[in-house]
Each structure stands twice: as structure tokens, then as C-alpha cells.
Amino acid sequence: MDEFGLIQRHFQDLTSARAGVVLGIGDDAALLQVPAGYELVVSTDTLVAGRHFPHQTAPEAVGWKALAVNLSDLAAMAAEPRWFTLALSLPEADEAWLSGFAGGLRALAEPHRVALVGGDTTRGSLAITITVLGLVPAGQAIRRSGARVGDLVCVTGTLGDAALALRRLDAAAQGDADLMLRERLDRPTPRLAAGLALRGLASAALDLSDGLAGDLRHLCAASGLGAELDPEALPQSPAFAELSRELSGDQRFELQAQGGDDYELCVCLPPARLAEAQARLAALNLPLTVVGLMQAEAGLRLRYADGQSSPITATGYRHF
Ligand SMILES: Nc1ncnc2c1ncn2[C@@H]1O[C@H](COP(=O)(O)OP(=O)(O)OP(=O)(O)O)[C@@H](O)[C@H]1O
Ligand SMILES: Cc1ncc(C[n+]2csc(CCOP(=O)(O)O)c2C)c(N)n1
Ligand SMILES: [Mg+2]
């Protein structure tokens, strides 16, 4: 089967009607209609086999994660996803793999009603690039640059699950807790509803892909501020708590703040808005935990219960 047949067979049903698609797959480019009063929000992310996911990852998980990490960036901007493009580099046209991959994409694309509107298919080592396009009412996107001194640094969900799953990939034990962590690595949930719920409340936000210590540094730089973090406050899932019991506090902090792959939102909030933000996210069954404080002094610091502080030198995940 050539690449045109491959697209027809596996991806055609991902193109089902979505408002605003003037012209989808099939021409040299797609034509999309942006409604009056909205801004177009665009983000792109690549997954490379062996770098962003273990080589043995199920094709369904690869499809899910490729779209999820892109949707996560739109969630952080408080945007609603509408359309996506898919650039696929494949070593061979393996029908079973493609069918699983398309199924993983569909499992996320359908409930969020995001339509595939174009892409590119080539032979090469396995890599997936998705560009997601979404909408936000003009002026309402949440940026990295809006944090103020005294804002609380909060995170959705729990941190460190995926990083611990990666660390335990070759562990012999594969009980329920390991399976739960592996789900968090393979099938992250983009926090789209949380992003929308935080519109009008959050002063700044970004999604956590490289680890809190690294990503918060980007937010601090964009806002011209620094921050302190309470290492004891970083939220743990029950599976993380169970399987990290034998680790030291430093090792746990490393997984939770430097491991990456969390795909949770990090949000800055004036203290007076915390209760409302937590109530809105509780309605989505999502905890919002205060982990730190924005400060005028540049850089990141750890603040301990006894009042002592020490600089955080760690960065997040770095490719180079
Ligand atoms: N090759 C590139 N050309 C142009 N802009 C780029 C390039 N790579 C990254 N950027 C831009 O740099 C900024 C940071 O990129 P990065 O990929 O680190 O985003 P992120 O959201 O912090 O992390 P993630 O990729 O994990 O979502 C983004 O605005 C992105 O669009
Ligand atoms: C096999 C394997 N090894 C390592 C990791 C960890 N990892 C890779 S890229 C990245 C940051 C996000 O990527 P980017 O900044 O490119 O968006 C992280 C945390 C993984 N997921 N799988
Ligand atoms: Mg991001």
C-alpha cells in the first residue's frame, strides 16, 4: 500500500466534520475559518521513538501520547482545540501498528472533537509530529508572562508518576501501582477543561513537560520574577507514594520536579483566587495544590519547613 492508500485507510475517519474546515485533507494545504472575535492558537510537538517513548510502547499509546502532549500545550493557554495536522515518519507501513496508532489518536481526538486536517507521511525512523490548532476568545489566553509577586504557584494532579514509571521500566514487579504509573507515562490526560476553568483567575500558566524545576524557570523568566518551592508540598499519587517509599527525599524531589512527562498544569494565582480555582477544579475531580510562591528575587529556591532556603540548580529535561 502506498502512502495515499495508507492515509485513506487509517486516518480518513479522523477527519470527520468540524466546524471551520473549509478544506481538509487532499489539497496542497487545508483552509480553516477562524471565527470573528477569536485568536488562533498554534502549537507543535514531536515524539521520537526511544527518546520520548520506550521503543516497545504499544502503538495505541504512541498515538494517544502524540496528540495528548500537543493538547496539553493548548490547555496551558486556556484554548479550545479544533484541528490538528500529523507528520509521520515510519520505518515501514506495518498495517497492525498503523491501525493501533490511529486507534490511539481517535480515542483522544473524538471526545475532544479535534479533526485531522492534513499532514505528511514519509519513510524514516519512527517519529511523530503533531501541530494542534485551537481557538481562544481574543485577549483571554493565559500566558507565561503574567505572574505577580505574591502569586501562589499551584499544580494540577500529581507529579512524578511518569518519571517513576520510566525508572521502573525494567523492574520485575508489575503490580497495580506499576500499571497505574505506566498509564501516566503512556496516556497522559491533557488538562483542557482545567485550562478553560482557570480563564479569568490564573495570572500565568504553563504545562509541565520537562519537569516543574525546569518549566517554572521558563515562567519566572517570562514574568521577570523568581519563585520558591516547598519540596514537601509536591503532590504524590498513591502509586507514587507506594513505589517511592524506599527512595530518599532528594530522589523523590528529583522525580517530581526534574523527571518530566507530567503533563499537568502549573498555574500562578493571587491568594484571594485560590479557593475559587480549587472549587472549579474540584468540580472536574482534579486537585489543585499550592507548591510555592512567586517572588521578586530571580531564580528558584527550595524553602524548608524550618524556614531555611537553598537554590535549585537543577534544570528540566534537556535534549542537548
Ligand atoms: N525549532 C523552533 N523554531 C521556532 N520556534 C521554536 C522551535 N523550537 C521551539 N520553539 C519555540 O520555543 C518555545 C519553547 O519551546 P518548547 O518546545 O520548549 O515548548 P514547551 O511548551 O516549553 O515544551 P514542550 O515542547 O515540551 O511542549 C515555544 O514558543 C516554541 O514555539
Ligand atoms: C524512552 C524515554 N526516555 C526518556 C523520556 C523522558 N523524556 C523524554 S523527552 C522529555 C521532555 C518532553 O519532551 P519535549 O521537551 O521534547 O517536548 C522527557 C521527560 C521518555 N519519555 N521516554
Ligand atoms: Mg508546553
Side-chain angles (χ1 to χ4, degrees):
M1 176 179 298
D2 66 18
E3 63 257 39
F4 305 104
L6 181 158
I7 293 162
Q8 185 75 34
R9 170 173 302 183
H10 294 288
F11 300 123
Q12 202 66 42
D13 68 329
L14 286 165
T15 64
S16 54
R18 184 50 151 130
V21 183
V22 179
L23 187 62
I25 289 180
D27 212 309
D28 294 303
L31 298 175
L32 305 170
Q33 183 83 53
V34 179
Y38 285 81
E39 286 161 349
L40 182 65
V41 187
V42 183
S43 186
T44 200
D45 250 325
T46 295
L47 297 191
V48 175
R51 171 71 49 191
H52 293 89
F53 56 87
H55 283 289
Q56 70 273 27
T57 303
E60 290 82 0
V62 177
W64 174 287
K65 186 164 182 173
L67 186 53
V69 302
N70 276 278
L71 295 178
S72 177
D73 280 311
L74 258 55
M77 302 295 292
E80 286 188 71
R82 287 284 191 276
W83 314 290
F84 71 106
T85 64
L86 168 66
L88 254 184
S89 165
L90 295 168
E92 60 197 332
D94 177 332
E95 288 293 322
W97 192 92
L98 276 163
S99 160
F101 173 79
L105 274 182
R106 198 177 306 116
L108 199 51
E110 268 181 12
H112 291 293
R113 302 186 53 242
V114 270
L116 179 64
V117 295
D120 193 26
T121 310
T122 60
R123 187 190 288 269
S125 36
L126 179 60
I128 306 102
T129 297
I130 286 182
T131 298
V132 70
L133 302 114
L135 298 173
V136 68
Q140 289 189 30
I142 306 174
R143 304 179 184 203
R144 296 178 175 189
S145 55
R148 298 279 175 269
V149 172
D151 280 354
L152 303 171
V153 179
C154 306
V155 296
T156 61
T158 59
L159 301 181
D161 297 328
L164 184 54
L166 259 184
R167 186 190 156 108
R168 293 178 58 86
L169 213 51
D170 302 321
Q174 286 293 317
D176 286 352
D178 267 306
L179 292 176
M180 189 266 161
L181 295 183
R182 186 64 203 258
E183 273 296 294
R184 293 271 289 154
L185 175 67
D186 284 347
R187 260 175 277 268
T189 304
R191 302 303 188 189
L192 285 158
L196 294 192
L198 291 165
R199 263 192 208 157
L201 289 181
S203 53
L206 86 176
D207 74 317
L208 297 174
S209 52
D210 294 345
L212 178 65
D215 288 323
L216 181 56
R217 225 178 267 286
H218 296 312
L219 188 149
C220 285
S223 293
L225 300 175
E228 64 175 31
L229 286 176
D230 173 0
E232 300 298 321
L234 304 187
Q236 298 181 5
S237 69
F240 183 95
E242 179 185 333
L243 295 177
S244 66
R245 229 180 265 137
E246 73 276 21
L247 303 180
S248 68
D250 283 354
Q251 287 172 315
R252 265 198 301 274
F253 180 78
E254 203 176 306
L255 289 168
Q256 292 198 281
Q258 297 165 52
D261 271 322
D262 297 299
Y263 299 104
E264 296 292 348
L265 300 184
C266 173
V267 180
C268 293
L269 284 167
R273 293 186 182 160
L274 176 66
E276 172 66 16
Q278 285 179 323
R280 290 189 194 178
L281 265 55
L284 303 169
N285 275 321
L286 192 60
L288 182 70
T289 308
V290 179
V291 297
L293 185 67
M294 296 301 295
Q295 299 174 320
E297 188 190 337
L300 286 187
R301 296 159 287 284
L302 279 180
R303 170 77 58 183
Y304 300 99
D306 61 5
Q308 298 286 313
S309 80
S310 67
I312 302 175
T313 51
T315 61
Y317 187 91
R318 291 274 167 91
H319 286 285
F320 300 102

Short mmCIF file of all heavy atoms in Angstrom, two decimals, residues 104-158:
data_model
loop_
_atom_site.label_atom_id
_atom_site.label_comp_id
_atom_site.label_asym_id
_atom_site.label_seq_id
_atom_site.Cartn_x
_atom_site.Cartn_y
_atom_site.Cartn_z
N GLY A 104 -5.39 4.94 18.85
CA GLY A 104 -4.96 5.76 20.00
C GLY A 104 -5.25 7.23 19.75
O GLY A 104 -5.69 7.95 20.65
N LEU A 105 -4.98 7.68 18.53
CA LEU A 105 -5.29 9.07 18.16
C LEU A 105 -6.78 9.32 18.28
O LEU A 105 -7.22 10.33 18.83
CB LEU A 105 -4.91 9.32 16.69
CG LEU A 105 -3.50 9.72 16.32
CD1 LEU A 105 -3.44 9.94 14.82
CD2 LEU A 105 -3.09 11.00 17.04
N ARG A 106 -7.58 8.37 17.74
CA ARG A 106 -9.03 8.53 17.71
C ARG A 106 -9.61 8.59 19.12
O ARG A 106 -10.53 9.36 19.40
CB ARG A 106 -9.66 7.35 16.95
CG ARG A 106 -11.07 7.61 16.48
CD ARG A 106 -11.62 6.43 15.65
NE ARG A 106 -10.76 6.08 14.55
CZ ARG A 106 -10.11 4.91 14.41
NH1 ARG A 106 -10.23 3.96 15.32
NH2 ARG A 106 -9.36 4.69 13.36
N ALA A 107 -9.04 7.79 20.03
CA ALA A 107 -9.55 7.73 21.41
C ALA A 107 -9.49 9.09 22.10
O ALA A 107 -10.25 9.37 23.01
CB ALA A 107 -8.76 6.70 22.20
N LEU A 108 -8.59 9.94 21.65
CA LEU A 108 -8.47 11.28 22.23
C LEU A 108 -9.11 12.33 21.32
O LEU A 108 -9.74 13.27 21.79
CB LEU A 108 -6.98 11.58 22.44
CG LEU A 108 -6.61 12.69 23.41
CD1 LEU A 108 -7.27 12.51 24.76
CD2 LEU A 108 -5.09 12.71 23.58
N ALA A 109 -8.97 12.15 20.01
CA ALA A 109 -9.49 13.15 19.06
C ALA A 109 -11.01 13.20 19.09
O ALA A 109 -11.59 14.28 19.03
CB ALA A 109 -9.01 12.83 17.64
N GLU A 110 -11.65 12.04 19.20
CA GLU A 110 -13.13 12.02 19.15
C GLU A 110 -13.78 12.74 20.32
O GLU A 110 -14.59 13.65 20.11
CB GLU A 110 -13.64 10.57 19.04
CG GLU A 110 -13.83 10.17 17.60
CD GLU A 110 -14.36 8.75 17.44
OE1 GLU A 110 -14.81 8.14 18.44
OE2 GLU A 110 -14.29 8.27 16.30
N PRO A 111 -13.44 12.39 21.57
CA PRO A 111 -14.11 13.09 22.68
C PRO A 111 -13.84 14.60 22.70
O PRO A 111 -14.67 15.37 23.15
CB PRO A 111 -13.57 12.40 23.94
CG PRO A 111 -12.38 11.63 23.50
CD PRO A 111 -12.57 11.32 22.05
N HIS A 112 -12.66 15.00 22.22
CA HIS A 112 -12.35 16.44 22.21
C HIS A 112 -12.77 17.11 20.91
O HIS A 112 -12.59 18.31 20.74
CB HIS A 112 -10.86 16.67 22.48
CG HIS A 112 -10.46 16.33 23.88
ND1 HIS A 112 -10.89 17.06 24.96
CD2 HIS A 112 -9.71 15.32 24.38
CE1 HIS A 112 -10.41 16.52 26.07
NE2 HIS A 112 -9.69 15.45 25.74
N ARG A 113 -13.30 16.31 19.98
CA ARG A 113 -13.80 16.82 18.70
C ARG A 113 -12.74 17.65 17.97
O ARG A 113 -13.01 18.76 17.49
CB ARG A 113 -15.11 17.59 18.91
CG ARG A 113 -16.19 16.73 19.56
CD ARG A 113 -17.55 17.40 19.65
NE ARG A 113 -18.00 17.91 18.37
CZ ARG A 113 -18.22 19.21 18.12
NH1 ARG A 113 -18.03 20.11 19.06
NH2 ARG A 113 -18.65 19.59 16.94
N VAL A 114 -11.52 17.10 17.91
CA VAL A 114 -10.48 17.73 17.10
C VAL A 114 -10.34 16.95 15.80
O VAL A 114 -10.23 15.72 15.82
CB VAL A 114 -9.09 17.79 17.79
CG1 VAL A 114 -8.92 19.05 18.58
CG2 VAL A 114 -8.83 16.60 18.66
N ALA A 115 -10.36 17.65 14.68
CA ALA A 115 -10.35 17.00 13.37
C ALA A 115 -8.95 17.06 12.75
O ALA A 115 -8.27 18.09 12.82
CB ALA A 115 -11.35 17.67 12.45
N LEU A 116 -8.55 15.93 12.14
CA LEU A 116 -7.30 15.89 11.39
C LEU A 116 -7.52 16.60 10.05
O LEU A 116 -8.43 16.22 9.30
CB LEU A 116 -6.91 14.42 11.16
CG LEU A 116 -5.64 14.15 10.38
CD1 LEU A 116 -4.42 14.66 11.13
CD2 LEU A 116 -5.49 12.64 10.12
N VAL A 117 -6.72 17.60 9.76
CA VAL A 117 -6.95 18.39 8.53
C VAL A 117 -5.79 18.33 7.54
O VAL A 117 -5.85 18.95 6.48
CB VAL A 117 -7.26 19.88 8.85
CG1 VAL A 117 -8.57 20.00 9.61
CG2 VAL A 117 -6.11 20.52 9.64
N GLY A 118 -4.74 17.56 7.87
CA GLY A 118 -3.63 17.46 6.93
C GLY A 118 -2.44 16.82 7.60
O GLY A 118 -2.51 16.40 8.76
N GLY A 119 -1.33 16.70 6.83
CA GLY A 119 -0.14 16.10 7.40
C GLY A 119 0.86 15.73 6.32
O GLY A 119 0.85 16.29 5.21
N ASP A 120 1.72 14.78 6.67
CA ASP A 120 2.77 14.35 5.75
C ASP A 120 3.20 12.96 6.18
O ASP A 120 3.25 12.67 7.39
CB ASP A 120 3.95 15.34 5.85
CG ASP A 120 4.95 15.17 4.73
OD1 ASP A 120 4.56 14.68 3.65
OD2 ASP A 120 6.13 15.50 4.94
N THR A 121 3.50 12.08 5.21
CA THR A 121 3.89 10.71 5.54
C THR A 121 5.17 10.37 4.78
O THR A 121 5.21 10.50 3.55
CB THR A 121 2.77 9.72 5.14
OG1 THR A 121 1.54 10.20 5.68
CG2 THR A 121 3.05 8.34 5.68
N THR A 122 6.20 9.96 5.53
CA THR A 122 7.49 9.66 4.89
C THR A 122 8.09 8.38 5.49
O THR A 122 7.68 7.95 6.58
CB THR A 122 8.52 10.79 5.15
OG1 THR A 122 8.70 10.90 6.56
CG2 THR A 122 8.06 12.12 4.61
N ARG A 123 9.06 7.78 4.79
CA ARG A 123 9.79 6.65 5.35
C ARG A 123 11.00 7.18 6.12
O ARG A 123 11.71 8.07 5.64
CB ARG A 123 10.24 5.70 4.25
CG ARG A 123 10.86 4.42 4.80
CD ARG A 123 11.52 3.60 3.71
NE ARG A 123 10.57 2.97 2.81
CZ ARG A 123 10.07 1.74 2.99
NH1 ARG A 123 10.42 1.03 4.03
NH2 ARG A 123 9.24 1.23 2.09
N GLY A 124 11.19 6.63 7.31
CA GLY A 124 12.33 7.06 8.12
C GLY A 124 12.20 6.42 9.49
O GLY A 124 11.30 5.60 9.71
N SER A 125 13.06 6.78 10.43
CA SER A 125 12.90 6.20 11.77
C SER A 125 11.64 6.79 12.41
O SER A 125 11.19 7.88 12.06
CB SER A 125 14.13 6.41 12.63
OG SER A 125 14.70 7.64 12.37
N LEU A 126 11.05 6.01 13.33
CA LEU A 126 9.72 6.35 13.85
C LEU A 126 9.72 7.68 14.61
O LEU A 126 10.39 7.82 15.64
CB LEU A 126 9.22 5.22 14.76
CG LEU A 126 7.85 5.42 15.40
CD1 LEU A 126 6.76 5.60 14.34
CD2 LEU A 126 7.50 4.25 16.31
N ALA A 127 8.97 8.64 14.08
CA ALA A 127 8.81 9.94 14.74
C ALA A 127 7.47 10.52 14.32
O ALA A 127 7.02 10.30 13.19
CB ALA A 127 9.94 10.90 14.35
N ILE A 128 6.84 11.19 15.25
CA ILE A 128 5.50 11.75 15.01
C ILE A 128 5.52 13.22 15.38
O ILE A 128 5.88 13.56 16.51
CB ILE A 128 4.44 11.04 15.89
CG1 ILE A 128 4.48 9.53 15.70
CG2 ILE A 128 3.05 11.59 15.62
CD1 ILE A 128 5.18 8.78 16.79
N THR A 129 5.13 14.07 14.46
CA THR A 129 4.99 15.50 14.77
C THR A 129 3.54 15.90 14.57
O THR A 129 2.98 15.67 13.50
CB THR A 129 5.88 16.36 13.85
OG1 THR A 129 7.24 16.01 14.08
CG2 THR A 129 5.69 17.85 14.12
N ILE A 130 2.95 16.44 15.61
CA ILE A 130 1.58 16.94 15.50
C ILE A 130 1.59 18.44 15.73
O ILE A 130 2.31 18.94 16.59
CB ILE A 130 0.66 16.21 16.51
CG1 ILE A 130 0.39 14.78 15.99
CG2 ILE A 130 -0.66 16.97 16.72
CD1 ILE A 130 -0.55 13.95 16.85
N THR A 131 0.83 19.13 14.92
CA THR A 131 0.56 20.55 15.15
C THR A 131 -0.90 20.67 15.48
O THR A 131 -1.75 20.17 14.74
CB THR A 131 0.90 21.39 13.90
OG1 THR A 131 2.29 21.25 13.63
CG2 THR A 131 0.59 22.87 14.12
N VAL A 132 -1.20 21.27 16.60
CA VAL A 132 -2.58 21.41 17.01
C VAL A 132 -2.98 22.88 16.87
O VAL A 132 -2.16 23.78 17.11
CB VAL A 132 -2.78 20.83 18.43
CG1 VAL A 132 -2.11 21.69 19.48
CG2 VAL A 132 -4.23 20.65 18.77
N LEU A 133 -4.20 23.08 16.42
CA LEU A 133 -4.72 24.44 16.23
C LEU A 133 -5.99 24.58 17.05
O LEU A 133 -6.83 23.67 17.06
CB LEU A 133 -5.03 24.69 14.76
CG LEU A 133 -3.81 24.49 13.84
CD1 LEU A 133 -4.03 23.31 12.92
CD2 LEU A 133 -3.53 25.74 13.05
N GLY A 134 -6.10 25.70 17.75
CA GLY A 134 -7.27 25.90 18.59
C GLY A 134 -7.68 27.35 18.60
O GLY A 134 -7.09 28.18 17.90
N LEU A 135 -8.69 27.63 19.41
CA LEU A 135 -9.25 28.99 19.45
C LEU A 135 -9.33 29.47 20.89
O LEU A 135 -9.56 28.67 21.81
CB LEU A 135 -10.67 28.99 18.87
CG LEU A 135 -10.80 28.57 17.41
CD1 LEU A 135 -12.28 28.46 17.02
CD2 LEU A 135 -10.08 29.55 16.48
N VAL A 136 -9.18 30.77 21.06
CA VAL A 136 -9.41 31.39 22.36
C VAL A 136 -10.07 32.75 22.10
O VAL A 136 -9.70 33.44 21.13
CB VAL A 136 -8.08 31.51 23.16
CG1 VAL A 136 -7.12 32.50 22.53
CG2 VAL A 136 -8.33 31.86 24.61
N PRO A 137 -11.07 33.12 22.90
CA PRO A 137 -11.64 34.46 22.72
C PRO A 137 -10.51 35.48 22.82
O PRO A 137 -9.65 35.36 23.72
CB PRO A 137 -12.62 34.59 23.90
CG PRO A 137 -12.97 33.19 24.27
CD PRO A 137 -11.73 32.38 24.00
N ALA A 138 -10.49 36.45 21.90
CA ALA A 138 -9.36 37.40 21.82
C ALA A 138 -9.04 37.99 23.19
O ALA A 138 -9.93 38.44 23.90
CB ALA A 138 -9.69 38.50 20.82
N GLY A 139 -7.76 37.91 23.56
CA GLY A 139 -7.29 38.51 24.81
C GLY A 139 -7.42 37.63 26.03
O GLY A 139 -6.97 38.00 27.11
N GLN A 140 -8.02 36.42 25.89
CA GLN A 140 -8.27 35.61 27.09
C GLN A 140 -7.28 34.45 27.31
O GLN A 140 -7.44 33.68 28.26
CB GLN A 140 -9.70 35.06 27.07
CG GLN A 140 -10.72 36.16 27.29
CD GLN A 140 -12.12 35.61 27.48
OE1 GLN A 140 -12.30 34.51 27.99
NE2 GLN A 140 -13.11 36.35 27.05
N ALA A 141 -6.28 34.31 26.44
CA ALA A 141 -5.30 33.24 26.65
C ALA A 141 -4.51 33.51 27.93
O ALA A 141 -4.29 34.67 28.30
CB ALA A 141 -4.35 33.19 25.46
N ILE A 142 -4.14 32.44 28.63
CA ILE A 142 -3.29 32.59 29.82
C ILE A 142 -1.83 32.43 29.37
O ILE A 142 -1.49 31.41 28.76
CB ILE A 142 -3.64 31.54 30.90
CG1 ILE A 142 -5.13 31.59 31.23
CG2 ILE A 142 -2.80 31.79 32.16
CD1 ILE A 142 -5.58 30.49 32.19
N ARG A 143 -1.02 33.42 29.66
CA ARG A 143 0.37 33.42 29.19
C ARG A 143 1.33 33.05 30.32
O ARG A 143 0.94 33.02 31.49
CB ARG A 143 0.74 34.79 28.66
CG ARG A 143 -0.20 35.27 27.58
CD ARG A 143 0.19 36.65 27.09
NE ARG A 143 -0.78 37.13 26.11
CZ ARG A 143 -0.52 38.06 25.20
NH1 ARG A 143 0.68 38.60 25.16
NH2 ARG A 143 -1.44 38.44 24.36
N ARG A 144 2.61 32.86 29.95
CA ARG A 144 3.63 32.60 30.97
C ARG A 144 4.07 33.89 31.66
O ARG A 144 4.69 33.84 32.72
CB ARG A 144 4.87 31.97 30.32
CG ARG A 144 4.61 30.60 29.70
CD ARG A 144 5.85 30.05 29.03
NE ARG A 144 5.60 28.68 28.55
CZ ARG A 144 6.51 27.88 28.08
NH1 ARG A 144 7.78 28.29 28.01
NH2 ARG A 144 6.21 26.66 27.68
N SER A 145 3.76 35.01 31.05
CA SER A 145 4.39 36.27 31.46
C SER A 145 3.59 37.08 32.48
O SER A 145 4.02 38.15 32.86
CB SER A 145 4.61 37.14 30.21
OG SER A 145 3.37 37.31 29.54
N GLY A 146 2.44 36.56 32.93
CA GLY A 146 1.55 37.41 33.73
C GLY A 146 1.68 37.27 35.24
O GLY A 146 0.92 37.91 35.98
N ALA A 147 2.63 36.46 35.73
CA ALA A 147 2.71 36.23 37.19
C ALA A 147 3.14 37.50 37.92
O ALA A 147 3.88 38.32 37.38
CB ALA A 147 3.69 35.10 37.48
N ARG A 148 2.66 37.64 39.17
CA ARG A 148 2.99 38.81 40.00
C ARG A 148 3.62 38.33 41.31
O ARG A 148 3.35 37.20 41.77
CB ARG A 148 1.71 39.58 40.36
CG ARG A 148 0.96 40.15 39.18
CD ARG A 148 1.59 41.47 38.71
NE ARG A 148 0.94 41.98 37.50
CZ ARG A 148 1.33 41.70 36.26
NH1 ARG A 148 2.38 40.93 36.03
NH2 ARG A 148 0.68 42.20 35.22
N VAL A 149 4.42 39.20 41.94
CA VAL A 149 5.00 38.87 43.24
C VAL A 149 3.86 38.56 44.22
O VAL A 149 2.86 39.29 44.25
CB VAL A 149 5.84 40.05 43.77
CG1 VAL A 149 6.28 39.80 45.22
CG2 VAL A 149 7.05 40.27 42.88
N GLY A 150 3.99 37.46 44.95
CA GLY A 150 2.95 37.08 45.92
C GLY A 150 1.95 36.07 45.38
O GLY A 150 1.15 35.51 46.14
N ASP A 151 1.98 35.83 44.05
CA ASP A 151 1.11 34.78 43.50
C ASP A 151 1.52 33.43 44.06
O ASP A 151 2.72 33.15 44.24
CB ASP A 151 1.24 34.71 41.97
CG ASP A 151 0.43 35.78 41.26
OD1 ASP A 151 -0.33 36.51 41.93
OD2 ASP A 151 0.56 35.88 40.02
N LEU A 152 0.50 32.57 44.28
CA LEU A 152 0.79 31.19 44.69
C LEU A 152 1.11 30.38 43.44
O LEU A 152 0.46 30.54 42.40
CB LEU A 152 -0.44 30.60 45.39
CG LEU A 152 -0.92 31.37 46.61
CD1 LEU A 152 -2.26 30.83 47.11
CD2 LEU A 152 0.14 31.29 47.71
N VAL A 153 2.13 29.51 43.55
CA VAL A 153 2.44 28.58 42.46
C VAL A 153 1.68 27.29 42.77
O VAL A 153 1.87 26.70 43.84
CB VAL A 153 3.95 28.29 42.38
CG1 VAL A 153 4.25 27.31 41.25
CG2 VAL A 153 4.73 29.58 42.19
N CYS A 154 0.81 26.89 41.85
CA CYS A 154 -0.02 25.70 42.07
C CYS A 154 0.18 24.70 40.94
O CYS A 154 0.54 25.09 39.82
CB CYS A 154 -1.50 26.09 42.09
SG CYS A 154 -1.91 27.39 43.26
N VAL A 155 -0.07 23.43 41.21
CA VAL A 155 -0.05 22.42 40.15
C VAL A 155 -1.32 21.58 40.22
O VAL A 155 -1.85 21.33 41.31
CB VAL A 155 1.19 21.49 40.23
CG1 VAL A 155 2.47 22.28 40.01
CG2 VAL A 155 1.25 20.73 41.54
N THR A 156 -1.79 21.16 39.05
CA THR A 156 -2.92 20.24 38.99
C THR A 156 -2.40 18.81 39.22
O THR A 156 -1.22 18.53 38.99
CB THR A 156 -3.62 20.29 37.62
OG1 THR A 156 -2.70 19.90 36.60
CG2 THR A 156 -4.15 21.68 37.33
N GLY A 157 -3.29 17.92 39.65
CA GLY A 157 -2.99 16.49 39.70
C GLY A 157 -1.81 16.15 40.59
O GLY A 157 -1.62 16.76 41.64
N THR A 158 -1.00 15.18 40.14
CA THR A 158 0.16 14.73 40.91
C THR A 158 1.40 14.75 40.02
O THR A 158 1.30 14.72 38.79
CB THR A 158 -0.06 13.29 41.43
OG1 THR A 158 -0.27 12.40 40.32
CG2 THR A 158 -1.26 13.23 42.37
#
